[in-house]
Amino acid sequence: MRVPVTYGVIGCGMMGREHLRNIALLGDARVGAIFEPDAEMAAAAQATAPAAAMEPSLDALLQRNDLDCLVIASPNHLHMTQLEQVAAIRALPVLVEKPLYTDGAGLAALRALQASYAAPIWVAMEYRYMPPITALLQQADAITGGVKMLTIREHRFPFLEKVGHWNRFNHQTGGTLVEKCCHFFDLMRLVLKSEPVRVMASGGQVLNHLEENYNGAVPDIWDAAYVIVDFANGARAMLELCMFAEGSTYQEEISAVGPRGKIEALVPGPGRFWPEALGAPPEPKVVVSPRSPKGPQVQTIPVDPTLLAAGDHNGSTFYQHERFLDVVKGSAAPEVTLADGWAAVAIGLAAQEAAITGQMVAMTPDWREAARV
């Protein structure tokens, strides 16, 4: 293995450039080549990683013999197609952004990919690695005595501007409960250590983007939802999403409760959106509330300011890359597998179906078998 490990990056919009900044912090890694078809984003990527070669196509990038691994951070609807293209040319270790796919047709392609791909694939679920959420994951069972109820609330800003406005339309994103919320369905499975059996939901487009028009197309992306998921082990989880609540102190609030007590993770949004007039941004916290003896205990979870400045995800992109780098070096296996990526999207698609039809969606034994891919 060469030192440093050399990355090829596919797609360098907002999230792609966050990957560039965090790879630069690893110390034993570098970005060797970038494919970004949008001229403005390509120029921004070159400014962020000036030593990287800018390639005119994905094929050209994959023909390079100096790459050790790939990061795919293109728009959602391109992820599976690009993974298949990579598989056909050169199977390198891949970190692919969420969501892994955007519609129900993705399972057949995913099964074929898993059966034939000769290198590790890691699905980028950054929220697992946000320090307060990591702390909750580490302590939840001991504090709660086994989580029976899990509530995830995200109150945040609307979707940001993206190249070609691709994130304004369900057919390119998979829909909000896939695009945005696959993170939370991934966390539900991780915390509860079980698979879903039924999904109920209510959601829609309430306020955001209703006045926008792109070549005659009006955005149809949702901005609010409630989702309830029942799990096979008897636990229940709920998601509350509101994307017109950027005035909140915390962007994510996660609460896990069991027979012994409760643990909460409080995660601020991106520091760059916090008004300077309000002083320093809020710090991440974990709150432990035992049933007996009563008395909440608040733990502040500091995050390195360098990591906060490198992205919008509370340092998690860096911690994820540290672990992925171990995979590339051959000393670890992916922590977020293709099966995890598939399941998170499948729950999101079920939630959208439930919200549209007004009917509960059963996640059958066939689904649970498919979730193991």
Side-chain angles (χ1 to χ4, degrees), residues 232-243:
N233 65 359
R236 294 177 175 86
M238 186 182 80
L239 168 67
E240 177 187 322
L241 175 72
C242 180
M243 298 188 68

Side-chain angles (χ1 to χ4, degrees), residues 46-89:
Q46 186 76 90
T48 304
M54 303 302 295
E55 295 293 350
S57 67
L58 177 53
D59 279 353
L61 183 142
L62 293 174
Q63 295 300 329
R64 298 178 63 96
N65 61 11
D66 62 337
L67 302 182
D68 299 306
C69 60
L70 302 170
V71 174
I72 296 178
S74 52
N76 296 1
H77 60 292
L78 300 177
H79 293 170
M80 279 303 303
T81 300
Q82 290 177 336
L83 276 171
E84 290 176 313
Q85 191 172 349
V86 170
I89 296 176

Side-chain angles (χ1 to χ4, degrees), residues 200-272:
M200 294 157 276
S202 175
Q205 187 179 16
V206 179
L207 292 177
N208 296 342
H209 318 304
L210 292 170
E211 305 303 320
E212 299 174 14
N213 189 300
Y214 303 103
N215 298 319
V218 176
D220 59 0
I221 198 74
W222 295 1
D223 54 16
Y226 290 103
V227 180
I228 296 174
V229 185
D230 289 346
F231 282 79
N233 65 359
R236 294 177 175 86
M238 186 182 80
L239 168 67
E240 177 187 322
L241 175 72
C242 180
M243 298 188 68
F244 42 90
E246 58 267 45
S248 305
T249 301
Y250 290 100
Q251 181 167 291
E252 286 87 27
E253 300 180 21
I254 301 176
S255 171
V257 188
R260 292 182 194 164
K262 176 171 72 170
I263 182 170
E264 300 167 273
L266 308 178
V267 187
R272 64 192 176 102

Side-chain angles (χ1 to χ4, degrees), residues 24-298:
L25 297 175
L26 290 171
D28 55 350
R30 62 182 286 270
V31 178
I34 293 169
F35 166 55
E36 171 49 67
D38 181 82
E40 182 179 350
M41 293 299 101
Q46 186 76 90
T48 304
M54 303 302 295
E55 295 293 350
S57 67
L58 177 53
D59 279 353
L61 183 142
L62 293 174
Q63 295 300 329
R64 298 178 63 96
N65 61 11
D66 62 337
L67 302 182
D68 299 306
C69 60
L70 302 170
V71 174
I72 296 178
S74 52
N76 296 1
H77 60 292
L78 300 177
H79 293 170
M80 279 303 303
T81 300
Q82 290 177 336
L83 276 171
E84 290 176 313
Q85 191 172 349
V86 170
I89 296 176
R90 188 177 176 202
L92 290 168
V94 176
L95 175 70
V96 56
E97 266 299 335
K98 61 79 194 167
L100 184 57
Y101 64 100
T102 56
D103 60 50
L107 180 58
L110 177 56
R111 281 178 163 157
L113 185 72
Q114 190 188 48
S116 62
Y117 202 80
I121 298 176
W122 179 307
V123 182
M125 291 291 188
E126 287 89 2
Y127 282 47
R128 292 185 179 205
Y129 304 102
M130 290 180 171
I133 296 178
T134 299
L136 181 146
L137 291 169
Q138 292 169 344
Q139 301 178 55
D141 283 343
I143 296 299
T144 66
V147 180
K148 300 301 182 185
M149 297 185 71
L150 177 67
T151 303
I152 301 175
R153 184 169 85 170
E154 183 172 67
H155 282 193
R156 57 160 282 167
F157 49 90
F159 282 115
L160 299 173
E161 293 286 341
K162 297 292 180 74
V163 174
H165 313 291
W166 67 266
N167 65 339
R168 296 298 196 261
F169 299 99
N170 291 328
H171 72 279
Q172 294 182 132
T173 64
T176 298
L177 298 184
V178 169
E179 201 289 331
K180 182 80 220 43
C181 300
C182 62
H183 279 302
F184 305 126
F185 302 130
D186 176 63
L187 289 175
M188 288 178 183
R189 294 178 66 244
L190 190 63
V191 172
L192 299 177
K193 302 179 180 66
S194 185
E195 298 295 351
V197 294
R198 63 186 65 86
V199 179
M200 294 157 276
S202 175
Q205 187 179 16
V206 179
L207 292 177
N208 296 342
H209 318 304
L210 292 170
E211 305 303 320
E212 299 174 14
N213 189 300
Y214 303 103
N215 298 319
V218 176
D220 59 0
I221 198 74
W222 295 1
D223 54 16
Y226 290 103
V227 180
I228 296 174
V229 185
D230 289 346
F231 282 79
N233 65 359
R236 294 177 175 86
M238 186 182 80
L239 168 67
E240 177 187 322
L241 175 72
C242 180
M243 298 188 68
F244 42 90
E246 58 267 45
S248 305
T249 301
Y250 290 100
Q251 181 167 291
E252 286 87 27
E253 300 180 21
I254 301 176
S255 171
V257 188
R260 292 182 194 164
K262 176 171 72 170
I263 182 170
E264 300 167 273
L266 308 178
V267 187
R272 64 192 176 102
F273 295 151
W274 186 256
E276 290 185 9
L278 297 180
E283 292 187 287
K285 289 182 170 59
V286 166
V287 183
V288 173
S289 303
R291 294 181 70 187
S292 180
K294 292 180 181 178
Q297 304 152 25
V298 180

